[in-house]
Amino acid sequence: MEMPTFAETLEAHKAMVFSIAWHVLRDRSAAEELAQDVFLQLHCSWRSMKSREHIVFWLRKVATHRALDQVRKRNNRPETSLEETGEPTVLERMQDSLLSSYLERMIASLPDRQRAAIVLRYQEDMAPDEIARVLDMNVSTVKTLITRGLDLLRSKTKYRLGVQSERGDRHDGV
Amino acid sequence: MTAFEDALRKAMTRREPPAGFTARVLAKTEDRGEKAKNWISRIFSWRLAPVLAVVLLLSAGITYQRHERQVRGERAKQELLVALRIAGSKLRDVRIHVQQVEQ
């Protein structure tokens, strides 16, 4: 398959890179800056890109690692820890958008690596072995991170948002 | 996939970056390209001519010094060889003389 141009790649993958940065950093301007830097780095490394798949893999990897680095550098653990996150005032089943926004806040409160693994799993729909390659980890470590992340998220949302707890079948998706 | 995971997927749908993102990135890449070109042209600009002249003179001086040292070394070597040759012939004369005296 023919290689795309840099402009085509930018247009095709800007949402992916921005969203990875956004979900890890939870800061719109920082996410935009990071996404810009990732594409500038891609522009510099453009000659070493071998295929479309290679470009996507590279973008995911660099975006995730840069976002994690930035979180560590700023020591930007979210202002609200999982325990501190307030319960929504409406405990009955919430509208999808409200639930999504609540879940996003919950994801932001996860530890860095768990958050990155969850973002790649559920935003990018990547398999654990692909996530392992992006994060330079063992597949088993990635599976553990995702399972623990899901457990943490479930423990907070269980019974509160009317979301059914599926502890029994939680490994299905991992 | 569980309902919870489904809710997670919905919560984590991709978002579009702020408007003008593509234009800003492309402008930055062009800006970088221009800066790189300027850097190269600055290297070859006339402002750097005196610096280049000094560098050229220094390297020429160093090369000349090396050449001089090499010539002096060669000369010293030749002189040493001549001295050894003379000393050798003198020794041969002495040996012949000693042999004549012994006989």
Side-chain angles (χ1 to χ4, degrees), chain A residues 59-123:
Chain A
L59 284 171
R60 281 171 171 164
K61 184 166 186 163
V62 173
T64 310
H65 281 274
R66 272 183 168 241
L68 284 174
D69 284 347
Q70 201 160 315
V71 168
R72 284 178 200 132
K73 217 180 280 173
R74 295 191 321 197
N75 199 12
N76 188 26
R77 294 307 308 274
E79 309 79 43
T80 48
S81 73
L82 199 63
E83 288 69 32
E84 289 163 350
T85 308
E87 293 177 25
T89 50
V90 183
L91 298 182
E92 53 267 18
R93 180 173 280 282
M94 301 167 85
Q95 295 293 319
D96 268 2
S97 60
L98 215 55
L99 173 62
S100 291
S101 135
Y102 180 73
L103 281 174
E104 275 191 307
R105 271 170 52 215
M106 304 303 295
I107 292 159
S109 67
L110 290 175
D112 307 340
R113 295 195 316 165
Q114 273 181 20
R115 200 185 329 166
I118 293 275
V119 169
L120 293 174
R121 179 77 186 97
Y122 295 102
Q123 181 197 297

Side-chain angles (χ1 to χ4, degrees), chain B residues 51-67:
Chain B
V51 179
L52 285 174
V54 169
V55 171
L56 207 68
L57 278 172
L58 276 175
S59 58
I62 290 167
T63 311
Y64 178 73
Q65 265 188 337
R66 265 190 206 156
H67 174 72

Side-chain angles (χ1 to χ4, degrees), chain A:
Chain A
M1 197 185 283
E2 201 180 308
M3 278 285 279
T5 62
F6 176 75
E8 285 167 354
T9 306
L10 173 61
E11 197 55 41
H13 301 303
K14 63 182 181 182
M16 175 186 82
V17 173
F18 175 76
S19 302
I20 290 174
W22 157 253
H23 281 126
V24 176
L25 298 172
R26 289 286 293 175
D27 178 334
R28 199 170 164 77
S29 63
E32 187 190 347
E33 203 174 313
L34 190 144
Q36 282 187 14
D37 286 348
V38 170
F39 280 109
L40 288 177
Q41 196 179 331
L42 175 70
H43 188 259
C44 292
S45 316
W46 188 249
R47 283 185 187 178
S48 64
M49 294 298 132
K50 290 168 189 136
S51 62
R52 285 169 192 267
E53 293 74 29
H54 184 210
I55 293 171
V56 174
F57 173 78
W58 190 96
L59 284 171
R60 281 171 171 164
K61 184 166 186 163
V62 173
T64 310
H65 281 274
R66 272 183 168 241
L68 284 174
D69 284 347
Q70 201 160 315
V71 168
R72 284 178 200 132
K73 217 180 280 173
R74 295 191 321 197
N75 199 12
N76 188 26
R77 294 307 308 274
E79 309 79 43
T80 48
S81 73
L82 199 63
E83 288 69 32
E84 289 163 350
T85 308
E87 293 177 25
T89 50
V90 183
L91 298 182
E92 53 267 18
R93 180 173 280 282
M94 301 167 85
Q95 295 293 319
D96 268 2
S97 60
L98 215 55
L99 173 62
S100 291
S101 135
Y102 180 73
L103 281 174
E104 275 191 307
R105 271 170 52 215
M106 304 303 295
I107 292 159
S109 67
L110 290 175
D112 307 340
R113 295 195 316 165
Q114 273 181 20
R115 200 185 329 166
I118 293 275
V119 169
L120 293 174
R121 179 77 186 97
Y122 295 102
Q123 181 197 297
E124 291 305 309
D125 210 16
M126 290 167 72
D129 60 316
E130 291 175 302
I131 299 172
R133 281 194 291 137
V134 166
L135 294 177
D136 297 323
M137 288 175 187
N138 295 327
V139 181
S140 54
T141 311
V142 169
K143 284 181 177 173
T144 309
L145 284 173
I146 295 173
T147 307
R148 283 188 185 159
L150 286 177
D151 276 348
L152 271 169
L153 291 170
R154 272 198 190 93
S155 68
K156 191 68 183 171
T157 49
K158 195 178 167 188
Y159 303 124
R160 289 177 182 165
L161 300 177
V163 174
Q164 212 181 350
S165 170
E166 298 103 1
R167 285 189 79 84
D169 52 0
R170 68 174 182 237
H171 297 288
D172 290 354
V174 179

